[in-house]
Amino acid sequence: PDIMRILIVTNRFLNSMVSGYDLRIWHLCQALAMAGHRLQLFVVPINHDHAEDVSNVIADISSVFEVVDSAPSSNNARRSLRRHLRLNESSYYKQATPEFHADVCARLSSACRRFAPDRIVYFGSNLIGFKGCDEAIPHLIDVCDSVHLTLERQYAASPVGFGCEALRRKLQIFRWRMAESSLARHFKRIAAISPADATRLSELNNRIPVEVIPNGVNAALMRAVARPAPTRRGVVFWGNLGFQPNAEAIRFFYENVQRPYLSSLGVEFAVIGSNAPDWLQAKATHDPSLRLLGFVPDLTEVVCDYPIMVAPLISGSGLKNKVLEAFALGIPVVGTPMAVEAIPEAIEGQHYIGGKSPDRLAHAIKHLLDDLPTRTRLSEAAKSLVDEHYSWNSVGRKWCRWVEMQ
């Protein structure tokens, strides 16, 4: 295809190697740059929810983006009470901070005039309301995870029956439904990270096709040599513990699986990641079977001490990078259906062991801990699956074809 100018619009600076959002954009844009396309980055800094390790930053961003432009932060913008009257989440900034919204759209329009892009690619549903470029230029969006689906599942996992909190959460779900239902009116093509997210977005937009672009796996993990035999009798979980689906997964596993079934058998539950909730830190001070390790700079070195990775997700959407990482490292996975739904090639019993109920998860873990042949078979099959379908090279080729389509 001809060399294109592509304007990339993100909701935060790409500065962290441990942020799933940053890594996804970095790898996908790197694929476009390697295909010869010219890229400019425009940042709308509205996503301030990440507390990542700033020492682990993405290096040499200039190797991918010719120019990096940004609007000023929205942190100091005074928020109007009119924001509470919105019915569509995509109008939040226009109603809450109209001057900030107008300034962003004007800067985006100016960037478009200077760069003259052939494509404009947005990353994230919370950018829907920021438009400033010629509508004749194809606008594409990678939603990544459907916020509507995520919120709906979070409500189902921890429902609130009545009162102001229930009303607030239902209104939030409705607002995001309205926002993601408008995608087809604003964007020529839509992509998502998993089949479940793509299905939901398609349903909300009159069943138009939504492309599934999964995440890939870090090349270093895929090149990892055969790992040593685990040294600890236990299971491990990793992720950003401040992310609500991860926090809910940990609580579900600890209260319903670890304490009733495993701790009395001497099975350790190791949790890796920053932003551990207070309740988990309090439990760790009294429960020797619970091991909190915080953020670790070398994930591989620590997780390979454990024979099993648990993925007890009960809410959220998207693709669980931790599952792909465990597959790549050859660590057998025991997880809920929601943890592996975004990996359609994965077959229960062949690539992982599944279980929805606490007793099923506990039974699988107890069995695998003492069954080296089964662990070996699962490890080899899962690693082959990742090698075939989830390298960033193969994902990048699919992404480039999608962006280049006329």
Side-chain angles (χ1 to χ4, degrees):
D2 294 335
I3 301 303
M4 293 183 178
R5 295 171 176 260
I6 303 173
L7 180 63
I8 303 296
V9 185
T10 66
N11 62 35
R12 53 171 276 161
F13 288 97
L14 307 181
N15 59 9
S16 173
M17 291 295 286
V18 293
S19 161
Y21 179 84
D22 291 17
L23 282 173
R24 178 174 174 83
I25 297 172
W26 173 253
H27 283 290
L28 295 180
C29 290
Q30 194 174 47
L32 291 170
M34 291 177 66
H37 300 304
R38 301 178 59 189
L39 275 64
Q40 176 170 334
L41 176 64
F42 186 89
V43 181
V44 184
I46 57 175
N47 188 347
H48 311 292
D49 295 335
H50 294 71
E52 308 290 359
D53 176 59
V54 295
S55 66
N56 200 352
V57 298
I58 291 174
D60 195 19
I61 200 168
S62 63
S63 66
V64 171
F65 300 103
E66 295 183 2
V67 178
V68 177
D69 200 359
S70 171
S73 171
S74 64
N75 274 347
N76 298 322
R78 188 170 63 86
R79 282 161 168 70
S80 167
L81 293 176
R82 291 184 62 228
R83 70 186 187 275
H84 298 299
L85 301 178
R86 72 190 187 282
L87 294 178
N88 187 323
E89 193 62 25
S90 67
S91 65
Y92 173 81
Y93 287 96
K94 187 174 184 179
Q95 294 186 256
T97 55
E99 292 182 359
F100 168 76
H101 178 267
D103 182 53
V104 170
C105 291
R107 289 171 183 263
L108 186 55
S109 177
S110 176
C112 281
R113 289 194 298 272
R114 293 194 307 271
F115 189 57
D118 302 296
R119 298 282 188 277
I120 304 170
V121 182
Y122 286 66
F123 282 91
S125 292
N126 57 357
L127 292 168
I128 297 172
F130 294 99
K131 303 294 287 294
C133 298
D134 186 346
E135 292 297 326
I137 304 170
H139 286 57
L140 318 180
I141 186 167
D142 176 17
V143 172
C144 305
D145 304 350
S146 165
V147 181
H148 178 255
L149 179 60
T150 299
L151 293 174
E152 197 173 71
R153 286 179 168 181
Q154 286 175 355
Y155 187 83
S158 54
V160 178
F162 303 99
C164 293
E165 178 61 15
L167 179 61
R168 184 195 69 80
R169 291 177 66 182
K170 289 180 179 178
L171 180 58
Q172 186 183 32
I173 292 171
F174 175 80
R175 286 168 170 167
W176 275 107
R177 179 184 180 89
M178 295 299 292
E180 293 189 342
S181 295
S182 69
L183 287 169
R185 296 198 299 273
H186 296 293
F187 297 94
K188 182 175 182 179
R189 290 195 295 278
I190 306 167
I193 200 170
S194 79
D197 294 281
T199 298
R200 173 56 55 89
L201 295 171
S202 178
E203 291 170 351
L204 292 176
N205 290 273
N206 297 317
R207 300 194 178 279
I208 66 167
V210 175
E211 188 76 13
V212 176
I213 306 288
N215 273 351
V217 175
N218 187 300
L221 293 182
M222 299 185 71
R223 291 194 301 266
V225 297
R227 65 193 188 100
T231 59
R232 309 185 78 94
R233 181 175 174 81
V235 299
V236 62
F237 176 96
W238 63 86
N240 178 4
L241 308 183
F243 182 50
Q244 187 172 341
N246 284 343
E248 290 174 346
I250 292 168
R251 183 181 282 274
F252 166 76
F253 184 84
Y254 180 76
E255 294 181 349
N256 298 284
V257 182
Q258 177 67 15
R259 291 299 297 162
Y261 294 100
L262 301 178
S263 60
S264 63
L265 302 177
V267 177
E268 185 176 273
F269 178 32
V271 180
I272 298 172
S274 55
N275 306 312
D278 292 341
W279 72 266
L280 189 65
Q281 296 182 52
K283 293 291 185 183
T285 62
H286 302 292
D287 185 352
S289 75
L290 177 59
R291 188 183 183 211
L292 292 189
L293 298 172
F295 174 81
V296 297
D298 187 347
L299 182 69
T300 304
E301 183 178 341
V302 178
V303 300
C304 287
D305 280 341
Y306 292 88
I308 297 171
M309 182 269 196
V310 289
L313 280 296
I314 57 172
S315 65
S317 61
L319 190 153
K320 311 304 180 286
N321 289 347
K322 60 181 68 62
V323 175
L324 287 181
E325 290 165 351
F327 280 6
L329 288 169
I331 304 175
V333 173
V334 174
T336 55
M338 202 170 289
V340 293
E341 67 174 0
I343 310 173
E345 301 86 359
I347 301 171
E348 201 279 329
Q350 180 176 333
H351 300 100
Y352 70 98
I353 300 297
K356 190 172 185 178
S357 64
D359 61 330
R360 171 64 176 145
L361 292 170
H363 174 78
I365 290 167
K366 289 187 286 187
H367 171 72
L368 274 183
L369 284 173
D370 298 316
D371 189 348
L372 178 59
T374 298
R375 295 206 312 266
T376 302
R377 175 176 57 80
L378 292 169
S379 297
E380 292 174 350
K383 193 169 180 61
S384 295
L385 183 152
V386 170
D387 289 343
E388 182 177 356
H389 298 286
Y390 291 95
S391 73
W392 274 117
N393 285 338
S394 62
V395 171
R397 288 192 294 270
K398 182 177 183 180
W399 167 255
C400 288
R401 288 193 297 269
W402 183 75
V403 173
E404 294 162 353
M405 286 170 55
Q406 297 299 321

